[in-house]
Amino acid sequence: MTDVAAAWAEALQRFDWLPSWGQSLILLGGAVSVALIVHALGVALVRRVVKQGDVFWRSLVSRTRRPARLALVLLAISLVSPLLPLREELAALLRQGLHIGMVITIGWGSLVALDIAAALHLRKYRIDIADNLIARKHLTQVRILRRAAATLIIVFTIAFALMTISGFRQWGVSLLAAGGAAGIIVGLALQPLLTNLIAGIQIALTQPIRIDDAVIVENEWGQIEEITATYVVVRLWDLRRMVLPLTWFIQNPFQNWTRDSATLIGSVFFYLDYAAPIEAMREKLEAIVRPSPLWDGDVMVLQVTDLRERVVEVRCLASARNGGDAFDLRCAIREQMIAWLKAEHPEALPRDRITVAAQPVP
C-alpha cells in the first residue's frame, strides 16, 4: 500500500504547474477510474464463472453490482485522500463524506444481503399447489421478518451516519439509545411504527394469520393478501380490500378458517314441516354431494338438530377442501334440496294448520 501511495505522489508531481483544485481533480478522477475499471473487470470475471450456474447466483452478482461499485470507489478515494493538496477544512469535509458514504454502503449491502437470504429460503417452497400450508407459513414469516429487519437496518444506518457528524452525533446516539430529549421526541414519533413492528414480529413467530389464509374480520369474509411491516391487506369476497394495522390482529378476536388446514365443514339448515321425509332427505343429500367435485370425500351428514313449535330444524353437513368450495357446495345443497322437496315432497315445506271445530246444527 505504501508503494502505491508513493507511485501516486510521484505521478502527481508532474502536475505541479496546475492549481491545487486541478491536481485534486486529476488524482480523484484517476482513483475513481481505476476503481471503476477494477469493478468492471471483476464483474465480468464473476459473471463468466457463474454463467452456467444457478439462477440465484446470477441474480446475486447482478444485485450486488452497484453496492460493490460504490464501495470500491469510496475505498479508492480514501486511499488517495492523504495525497490531495487540500486545506484542512476541505480534507475534513472529504473524510466526513467518506465516512457517511461507507455507512450508507454497508447499510445498502445489508439490505441486499437480507433480500438474497429471504429469496434463497423461499425458493424451497411452492405456494401454487393445493397443499401449501407449510409454504404459506414460511412465506408469512420471511416477509414479515424481512420487512422488520429492513426497517431496523435503515434506522441503524441513519443513526450511525448521524453519529459521524459532530453536530448531529447526539441525534444518532438518541436514535439508538432512546436517551435524552431528542430520543424522547424520536421515540414518540416512532411509537406507532415500533408498535406495529413488534406486532409484526409476534405474528411472524406465533402466526395467527398467514398469507392466503381465509379469515372473517369486522364481519367480512376474505383472504389475507399482503402482510407488510405496519398493516395487513385482506381481499374480501367481492374484491374490495380491507386494510388493518398489524396490532388489530393481536388485540382483537377474529376467525381464521385455514389456521391448521384449509379443509372446512359447511352447514346448511332447513326448517321444515314435521311431515318431512328425513330418510329420503339423507338419500337425496348423498345424491347431491357424492358426485360433486366440490366435496372432499370426508364429512356428509344430515340430522334433525332441533324441534320447534311449528317446524323441525334439519342440518346438513358437508366438507370441502377450502372455504370457497365449502360455500359453493352449501349453495348447491340448498338449491337442489329445495327443488326436490317442492317437486317430490311438497308436504315437507313449512305450513300452518288450522283446525275448524264443527258446530252442532240446532
Side-chain angles (χ1 to χ4, degrees):
M1 192 67 66
T2 305
D3 296 338
V4 174
W8 277 106
E10 182 179 353
L12 191 61
Q13 290 177 0
R14 300 180 182 180
F15 300 94
D16 288 340
W17 54 275
L18 288 175
S20 60
W21 61 268
Q23 297 179 25
S24 300
L25 287 179
I26 291 175
L27 192 56
L28 289 175
V32 171
S33 299
V34 171
L36 293 178
I37 292 173
V38 171
H39 175 265
L41 293 175
V43 170
L45 178 62
V46 174
R47 280 183 172 176
R48 183 180 295 272
V49 171
V50 301
K51 183 177 181 180
Q52 304 299 329
D54 190 76
V55 177
F56 172 76
W57 294 108
R58 296 201 298 269
S59 63
L60 174 63
V61 173
S62 177
R63 296 189 62 181
T64 56
R65 186 178 68 255
R66 293 180 180 178
R69 180 192 300 152
L70 179 58
L72 284 175
V73 169
L74 292 175
L75 179 61
I77 295 175
S78 64
L79 289 176
V80 302
S81 60
L83 306 176
L84 296 176
L86 300 176
R87 297 194 304 271
E88 182 59 31
E89 297 82 2
L90 293 177
L93 184 61
L94 178 61
R95 288 194 297 270
Q96 186 68 62
L98 290 173
H99 291 160
I100 295 176
M102 192 59 67
V103 170
I104 293 175
T105 303
I106 294 174
W108 187 5
S110 300
L111 289 175
V112 172
L114 180 65
D115 288 342
I116 292 172
L120 179 62
H121 180 74
L122 290 179
R123 290 180 68 222
K124 306 174 185 176
Y125 305 98
R126 292 183 56 190
I127 200 172
D128 57 343
I129 58 177
D131 187 11
N132 60 0
L133 182 63
I134 296 178
R136 291 190 293 110
K137 174 182 177 181
H138 286 272
L139 178 63
T140 302
Q141 283 183 333
V142 170
R143 283 189 177 181
I144 295 177
L145 293 178
R146 183 183 63 81
R147 285 171 177 152
T151 302
L152 291 177
I153 289 174
I154 293 172
V155 170
F156 279 112
T157 301
I158 295 174
F160 283 120
L162 291 174
M163 290 174 64
T164 62
I165 306 174
S166 58
F168 295 91
R169 184 171 292 112
Q170 185 58 39
W171 286 90
V173 174
S174 299
L175 189 60
L176 288 176
I184 295 175
I185 295 173
V186 172
L188 291 175
L190 295 179
Q191 183 178 3
L193 175 63
L194 295 177
T195 301
N196 281 290
L197 186 63
I198 295 173
I201 295 174
Q202 286 183 269
I203 289 176
L205 296 178
T206 60
Q207 294 208 331
I209 56 173
R210 291 179 293 264
I211 299 295
D212 208 35
D213 268 350
V215 296
I216 294 183
V217 292
E218 300 289 346
N219 296 320
E220 297 273 9
W221 183 89
Q223 290 180 294
I224 303 296
E225 183 177 55
E226 183 181 4
I227 303 177
T228 70
T230 56
Y231 61 87
V232 177
V233 179
V234 182
R235 184 180 70 252
L236 302 181
W237 65 274
D238 56 0
L239 301 184
R240 290 178 295 140
R241 264 59 173 181
M242 181 180 291
V243 180
L244 298 167
L246 282 174
T247 52
W248 190 93
F249 290 91
I250 301 297
Q251 300 171 357
N252 296 278
F254 62 94
Q255 295 184 37
N256 188 336
W257 288 10
T258 54
R259 177 67 177 87
D260 296 318
S261 172
T263 302
L264 289 176
I265 298 178
S267 60
V268 178
F269 289 89
F270 294 97
Y271 297 93
L272 305 173
D273 190 82
Y274 274 76
I278 302 301
E279 288 299 328
M281 289 182 66
R282 286 196 178 97
E283 296 175 0
K284 182 60 179 178
L285 176 65
E286 183 174 356
I288 296 172
V289 173
R290 189 171 296 280
S292 174
L294 302 173
W295 186 50
D296 65 353
D298 188 13
V299 176
M300 180 176 56
V301 177
L302 185 146
Q303 295 173 314
V304 177
T305 53
D306 197 7
L307 299 176
R308 303 188 180 182
E309 181 181 356
R310 296 178 179 176
V311 295
V312 296
E313 181 184 83
V314 179
R315 184 184 69 180
C316 301
L317 299 180
S319 58
R321 285 177 290 274
N322 53 62
D325 287 354
F327 180 83
D328 293 339
L329 183 58
R330 291 165 63 196
C331 293
I333 293 173
R334 291 191 191 99
E335 294 171 3
Q336 297 183 43
M337 186 69 77
I338 287 297
W340 175 76
L341 288 173
K342 288 171 62 179
E344 302 293 336
H345 299 278
E347 73 281 1
L349 300 178
R351 55 183 175 173
D352 292 324
R353 294 178 174 84
I354 299 177
T355 302
V356 179
Q359 297 292 331
V361 177

